[in-house]
Amino acid sequence: MAISGDKVILEIRDMSKEFGAVKALKTMQLSVRPGRVHTILGENGAGKSTLMKILAGVYQPTTGSIVLDGQPYAPSNPQDAARAGLTIVFQELSLCNNMTVAENILATREPSRGGFINDKALVRKAAELVKELGLPVSVTDQVGDLSIAQRQLVEIAKGLSIDAKVVILDEPTSSLSDSEAEILFEIIGRLKEKGVAIIYISHRMEEIMRLSDDITVVRDGSYITTRDKTEVTIAELIALMVGRDMNEIYPPRDVAAPASTEKPVLAVNGLSRSEEFENVSFDIRPGEILGFFGLIGSGRSEVMNTLFGMAHASAGTVAIDGAQVKITSPVEAIERRIGFVTENRKEEGLVLSHSVESNISMVALDGFSSLFGFLKRKRERDAAKAEVARLSIKTASLDTIAGSLSGGNQQKIVLAKWLLTKPKILILDEPTRGVDVGAKFEIYKIIRQLAAEGTAILLVSSELPEVIGMSDRVVVMSEGKVTAIADPDQMTPEKIMHFATGFAS
Amino acid sequence: MSDKSAASAAFKQVMKQYGGIFLSLIVLCVIFSVTNGRFMSVANFLNILQQVSVIAIAAFGMTWVILLGEIDLSIGSIIAVAGMVGAQCFAFGMSFVPALILTIAAGALLGLANGVLTAKFLLPSFIVTVATMGIYRGMVSLPTNGAPAMIMEPSWTAIGTQSFIGIPIVIWVVAVLFLFNHILLSKTKFGRRAYLTGGNREAALYSGIKVDRLKIIIFMISGVMAAISGVLLSSRLFSAQTNAGMSYELDAIAAAVLGGTSLAGGVGTMIGTLIGALIIGVLNNGMNMLSVPYFYQLIVKGLVILVAVYLDVRSKRAKQ
Ligand SMILES: Nc1ncnc2c1ncn2[C@@H]1O[C@H](COP(=O)(O)OP(=O)(O)OP(=O)(O)O)[C@@H](O)[C@H]1O
Ligand SMILES: [Mg+2]
């Protein structure tokens, strides 16, 4: 192994974990040193989150042992883990939406006297922490009212509210845009200086190269290797991870982007919704990929929600194929062949307790039923099977519960269910959130292919390289307003960031 | 696959899904057979089915509602309303078929009210149906000022007292309604949408499911099932009683939950509910045959429900 000699704070040996017939971990090992960022890199479903959940006491391993700070360590629940000095920020948000930020951050450790919670002290303590971490949220806000990115920051604050020797961050940046991610990186830097060991999981290669000290690659539940960051390149890591070479990140366009003279399929004019966005205008032609970029609170998701009929505009018009339409519900949006891959798969995308198959067929159900509403199970199954194959979704079977799939594979199911409806206009809100590099490429290829077939694609993303790499034009938003619609010659990271921070073109 | 192995595969599937609760049913039957020689007979089994019919049908409706993550506490009252509507129809000289249609329509209407209040006025179904439970119960007494109303119409009373090819008509009714609900839930688009909506309402909404309409229809199904239960009950009693069906909603909920329907929504089957209802029926019948005093029966019933649900939860957790 590359690391030796130095003090080791956490050591995992010969670990395996089975869920019934599913072998999530086969032969896993890990050796983490204090004051260093140790990244775990692996494809969707490789077993990263499972390993972290074992460390956090959520799951018990089938075999294997852990040594934490010289002591044998076998937590049977997250409280045990916290007591032993290990804290985790889970991949999937685990906050109570109906409670305030402060209540969430200090959940189960509220300052209290005689069983009564001391509200003032609670707010003060939480506010101190939020201020120390430099987070752009108010501790008295309801979590349910926050954006996904803000919730992610709260989740991080919650994880860091105890003093820990080991901090685990499972894809903390998957729903953060660059500027919020910077806040997190600063926090990580400070933790490192204090000698805290950080276990970090991410699918963003640039970020991994920047942050990590050590990188462990895992594949199919097995340990592959651990490397010092200075000894490897991104290309090498990807090859180790997917088991083959990958040269490009974004598939090139085979078909030219539609000419600007072509008639738009969707034209939005002066769309406003009070307190969310104002005077938003853009149009998109069939076969075009229109990127949407902006920072937290720029109003991109809100615009998409309104287009899809989940929220009502207070002013402005929407036209499809030149005719003005009023879409007041998702039912109407779907009737007009609009698809919407929402940003939050757990809440709006999936029915986690149901099978992969019934999640995939969910929107297109009409196509799988006879006159009297009887389901045509075979057709449904075949269609679901085809989507699972096309997106290479890693699942034990079609009857597997969606909630037991890895994060990236869940994301692919959400995509699959909309692809089945063959939309004319497809809204993708963070479609590659939590998806590994290999699978990202597959998704990009599918987006390209859809565009080539004439689907108009609205691509909302917080990853600037993705927006630039995939889009034909980019709508940049800041604080609810469109600050620029950038053409290809304007699509440099500097220009787009400039517009995104509020300078109109 | 041969017939035999297909049957054994189907049996395995049933055991996997309903193992805990099925076992509870068998164990109860064995206990009662040992303690009472007359328990294990075809006649007594038909008797149990007959006794449990009212609860079973109401529980089918309740299963839909719970599946959606809602609750309907008004069905006991709807059972009484249905009997009274029937009695009044005959008092006004109507014949059997229109009276039956009107009775069932009354159930649908009361369910509709529950559904609209829940789906459109966004009130929690628990509160809505606690309120309508009282309102509907009060309405039963309106025509007669609280007195029971006799029902002498022979077709109506035949339902609860006559047999068809050797099997009591009520059992036929249960069988038909079981099949209807089972097929609607497991084989149709409507059933699938109910499952999905119960599993995650928000995701259902984003996927273009008309969640409000679905909810209203399901409360109507619950109302209709309760009304049919009311028909059965009143036909057996030859009368509409103002306190008929009192607290039956609790037995219906117990049957559904015993059968594996999750109060959180999204999980449940009609087969499970049928088994759940049978457990309640076997318990009632067995304890009556042993002349167990009523208050002991209540205690035992409550304990059995707790144990059965615990076993079920545990077996499901072990599978994970
Ligand atoms: N509770 C569970 N029950 C059954 N299978 C599970 C469960 N949790 C995880 N798995 C399976 O174990 C495997 C590893 O999943 P895990 O979530 O650890 O992947 P991951 O490496 O974190 O992937 P991602 O990058 O997509 O988050 C997957 O095949 C997944 O389906
Ligand atoms: Mg994961």
Side-chain angles (χ1 to χ4, degrees):
Chain A
M1 205 192 296
I3 28 177
S4 58
D6 245 338
K7 185 176 174 270
V8 168
I9 178 101
L10 180 78
E11 175 98 41
I12 299 173
R13 289 196 206 106
D14 306 321
M15 184 156 288
S16 72
K17 171 68 185 172
E18 292 166 15
F19 295 103
V22 180
K23 285 196 168 67
L25 299 180
K26 290 172 196 156
T27 51
M28 193 57 79
Q29 61 183 68
L30 192 68
S31 186
V32 181
R33 289 181 285 169
R36 292 174 74 91
V37 175
H38 194 128
T39 295
I40 316 283
L41 186 62
E43 288 182 289
N44 293 134
K48 304 178 296 294
S49 298
T50 304
L51 183 63
M52 296 309 121
K53 285 182 187 161
I54 289 174
L55 286 176
V58 178
Y59 297 146
Q60 268 59 54
T62 309
T63 64
S65 62
I66 314 171
V67 176
L68 176 64
D69 211 6
Q71 301 290 321
Y73 170 71
S76 45
N77 54 49
Q79 286 76 37
D80 274 0
R83 245 175 271 128
L86 185 143
T87 179
I88 179 165
V89 176
F90 291 107
Q91 178 175 11
E92 306 293 337
L93 295 172
S94 58
L95 302 171
C96 299
N97 288 345
N98 55 349
M99 294 171 91
T100 66
V101 172
E103 283 163 338
N104 267 291
I105 291 179
L106 297 175
T108 72
R109 277 166 296 110
E110 303 96 340
S112 62
R113 195 179 297 139
F116 290 97
I117 293 175
N118 183 343
D119 272 323
K120 270 202 196 115
L122 176 82
V123 169
R124 182 159 32 79
K125 256 179 87 173
E128 270 168 22
L129 188 73
V130 163
K131 188 156 166 251
E132 189 192 319
L133 298 175
L135 307 184
V137 289
S138 152
V139 294
T140 50
D141 281 349
Q142 290 254 317
V143 166
D145 298 335
L146 302 181
S147 72
I148 296 300
Q150 284 171 318
R151 284 187 218 181
Q152 182 69 54
L153 290 173
V154 173
E155 186 85 45
I156 292 166
K158 182 179 166 190
L160 298 181
S161 65
I162 61 168
D163 280 322
K165 289 181 259 188
V166 179
V167 172
I168 299 173
L169 299 164
D170 193 352
E171 297 194 34
T173 51
S174 64
S175 49
L176 300 184
S177 67
D178 290 349
S179 61
E180 294 107 30
E182 282 309 323
I183 301 176
L184 175 68
F185 298 159
E186 247 170 65
I187 297 172
I188 291 176
R190 264 181 279 149
L191 287 174
K192 253 176 85 168
E193 274 167 31
K194 282 205 289 186
V196 175
I198 291 141
I199 303 180
Y200 194 79
I201 296 176
S202 171
H203 290 294
R204 299 183 176 181
M205 300 308 293
E206 296 79 12
E207 167 182 306
I208 290 173
M209 288 313 273
R210 189 181 136 187
L211 277 181
S212 317
D213 298 302
D214 307 305
I215 301 171
T216 289
V217 180
V218 297
R219 192 161 70 218
D220 271 340
S222 297
Y223 171 87
I224 302 293
T225 180
T226 299
R227 299 287 176 85
D228 197 295
K229 192 260 303 281
T230 52
E231 295 168 1
V232 284
T233 64
I234 292 188
E236 276 176 288
L237 285 173
I238 293 178
L240 281 170
M241 177 171 112
V242 301
R244 64 188 156 85
D245 281 330
M246 258 190 67
N247 306 321
E248 6 175 53
I249 302 179
Y250 302 103
R253 243 186 183 294
D254 306 328
V255 191
S260 56
T261 48
E262 230 176 284
K263 281 222 181 69
V265 55
L266 174 74
V268 174
N269 211 325
L271 202 67
S272 305
R273 183 173 154 75
S274 43
E275 311 208 345
E276 285 188 349
F277 55 86
E278 203 184 320
N279 200 13
V280 170
S281 305
F282 62 86
D283 51 23
I284 176 169
R285 293 176 277 276
E288 189 176 30
I289 302 176
L290 186 64
F292 278 79
F293 184 77
L295 306 179
I296 277 195
S298 62
R300 294 166 304 166
S301 296
E302 287 76 6
V303 171
M304 300 307 150
N305 257 317
T306 309
L307 285 178
F308 197 64
M310 277 303 286
H312 301 298
S314 49
T317 62
V318 176
I320 292 180
D321 286 329
Q324 251 197 47
V325 293
K326 225 176 168 58
I327 295 171
T328 55
S329 71
V331 179
E332 292 168 35
I334 292 166
E335 272 165 12
R336 296 188 188 281
R337 310 241 333 262
I338 302 178
F340 188 11
V341 174
T342 49
E343 108 186 274
N344 191 347
R345 58 174 171 258
K346 202 171 153 193
E347 281 170 20
E348 301 136 5
L350 293 172
V351 183
L352 291 172
S353 57
H354 286 225
S355 70
V356 168
E357 178 182 342
S358 69
N359 270 287
I360 292 179
S361 65
M362 190 169 180
V363 197
L365 218 47
D366 281 330
F368 303 117
S369 60
S370 64
L371 199 58
F372 297 105
F374 282 93
L375 290 171
K376 294 179 178 160
R377 288 302 305 273
K378 177 143 176 13
R379 259 172 72 177
E380 181 189 6
R381 216 169 170 74
D382 290 344
K385 206 182 274 170
E387 289 303 324
V388 165
R390 165 145 81 137
L391 294 171
S392 34
I393 296 173
K394 196 183 169 211
T395 174
S397 78
L398 287 175
D399 301 318
T400 305
I401 301 299
S404 78
L405 264 58
S406 80
N409 284 299
Q410 290 181 11
Q411 183 67 33
K412 291 191 205 168
I413 294 181
V414 183
L415 194 62
K417 81 175 194 181
W418 287 106
L419 292 185
L420 259 191
T421 66
K422 303 206 164 43
K424 190 163 76 175
I425 300 166
L426 180 59
I427 306 171
L428 300 170
D429 199 350
E430 311 285 359
T432 61
R433 201 180 137 200
V435 173
D436 70 54
V437 256
K440 253 185 196 166
F441 188 75
E442 299 302 316
I443 291 180
Y444 294 146
K445 270 208 312 221
I446 286 165
I447 296 177
R448 282 266 188 257
Q449 188 195 336
L450 288 172
E453 290 162 10
T455 309
I457 289 166
L458 286 75
L459 174 66
V460 179
S461 173
S462 300
E463 279 189 70
L464 194 46
E466 175 172 290
V467 173
I468 294 176
M470 287 300 295
S471 312
D472 299 319
R473 289 184 297 152
V474 177
V475 177
V476 188
M477 290 187 66
S478 168
E479 293 181 359
K481 295 197 183 78
V482 173
T483 49
I485 297 184
D487 286 323
D489 56 339
Q490 285 181 298
M491 279 169 30
T492 62
E494 298 74 29
K495 280 228 167 94
I496 290 189
M497 257 343 257
H498 179 78
F499 297 139
T501 41
F503 300 95
S505 59
Chain B
M1 212 191 277
S2 75
D3 263 12
K4 212 170 156 192
S5 71
S8 89
F11 179 74
K12 260 191 203 142
Q13 173 63 29
V14 169
M15 278 316 283
K16 204 173 120 195
Q17 200 170 353
Y18 307 106
I21 164 119
F22 203 65
L23 215 66
S24 307
L25 183 60
I26 308 280
V27 167
L28 278 179
C29 287
V30 169
I31 292 177
F32 285 129
S33 313
V34 171
T35 50
N36 192 313
R38 283 172 304 135
F39 180 81
M40 221 37 182
S41 68
V42 175
N44 191 44
F45 202 63
L46 287 180
N47 191 17
I48 292 174
L49 282 176
Q50 224 167 329
Q51 286 167 350
V52 87
S53 59
V54 174
I55 296 297
I57 293 169
F60 295 152
M62 186 65 89
T63 303
W64 284 102
V65 177
I66 297 181
L67 203 61
L68 217 58
E70 306 287 344
I71 197 90
D72 186 351
L73 298 175
S74 71
I75 57 170
S77 301
I78 296 179
I79 288 174
V81 170
M84 190 54 86
V85 169
Q88 291 307 310
C89 286
F90 297 130
F92 281 100
M94 265 186 217
S95 61
F96 173 68
V97 173
L100 186 67
I101 293 176
L102 218 62
T103 304
I104 291 173
L109 192 73
L110 299 183
L112 176 74
N114 286 335
V116 168
L117 287 168
T118 310
K120 296 290 181 195
F121 290 79
L122 303 178
L123 302 173
S125 55
F126 184 89
I127 306 293
V128 166
T129 57
V130 160
T132 55
M133 172 169 77
I135 297 172
Y136 298 166
R137 178 66 64 187
M139 279 161 48
V140 181
S141 297
L142 290 179
T144 60
N145 260 324
M150 303 302 282
I151 301 178
M152 299 319 263
E153 165 69 31
S155 312
W156 189 279
T157 52
I159 299 173
T161 51
Q162 308 280 310
S163 291
F164 176 65
I165 2 181
I167 293 174
I169 293 175
V170 289
I171 296 180
W172 287 108
V173 176
V174 174
V176 167
L177 290 176
F178 166 72
L179 278 179
F180 169 78
N181 283 294
H182 174 67
I183 290 173
L184 190 62
L185 180 59
S186 63
K187 306 273 184 242
T188 71
K189 200 163 63 173
F190 178 79
R192 177 66 68 79
R193 288 190 168 145
Y195 273 125
L196 290 167
T197 305
N200 184 349
R201 186 179 166 278
E202 193 83 351
L205 208 59
Y206 271 96
S207 299
I209 294 176
K210 294 171 182 151
V211 170
D212 287 356
R213 206 183 69 171
L214 187 81
K215 197 178 273 183
I216 292 173
I217 293 175
I218 280 180
F219 271 102
M220 288 175 73
I221 292 178
S222 176
V224 166
M225 291 301 141
I228 296 174
S229 288
V231 172
L232 258 49
L233 189 63
S234 64
S235 73
R236 216 163 57 200
L237 302 174
F238 291 87
S239 65
Q241 309 274 349
T242 52
N243 64 351
M246 197 78 99
S247 83
Y248 277 28
E249 62 277 351
L250 297 182
D251 277 350
I253 294 171
V257 173
L258 272 174
T261 312
S262 155
L263 285 168
V267 181
T269 61
M270 291 297 161
I271 298 177
T273 298
L274 187 64
I275 300 176
L278 284 175
I279 289 191
I280 292 179
V282 165
L283 264 179
N284 284 343
N285 173 277
M287 288 195 292
N288 275 336
M289 285 177 93
L290 292 175
S291 336
V292 176
Y294 180 65
F295 51 91
Y296 277 124
Q297 292 199 14
L298 285 179
I299 295 172
V300 170
K301 227 159 80 178
L303 289 176
V304 168
I305 289 174
L306 285 177
V307 171
V309 173
Y310 170 74
L311 287 179
D312 198 48
V313 167
R314 219 184 57 168
S315 78
K316 280 190 183 126
R317 200 177 299 145
K319 243 184 280 158
Q320 284 202 335

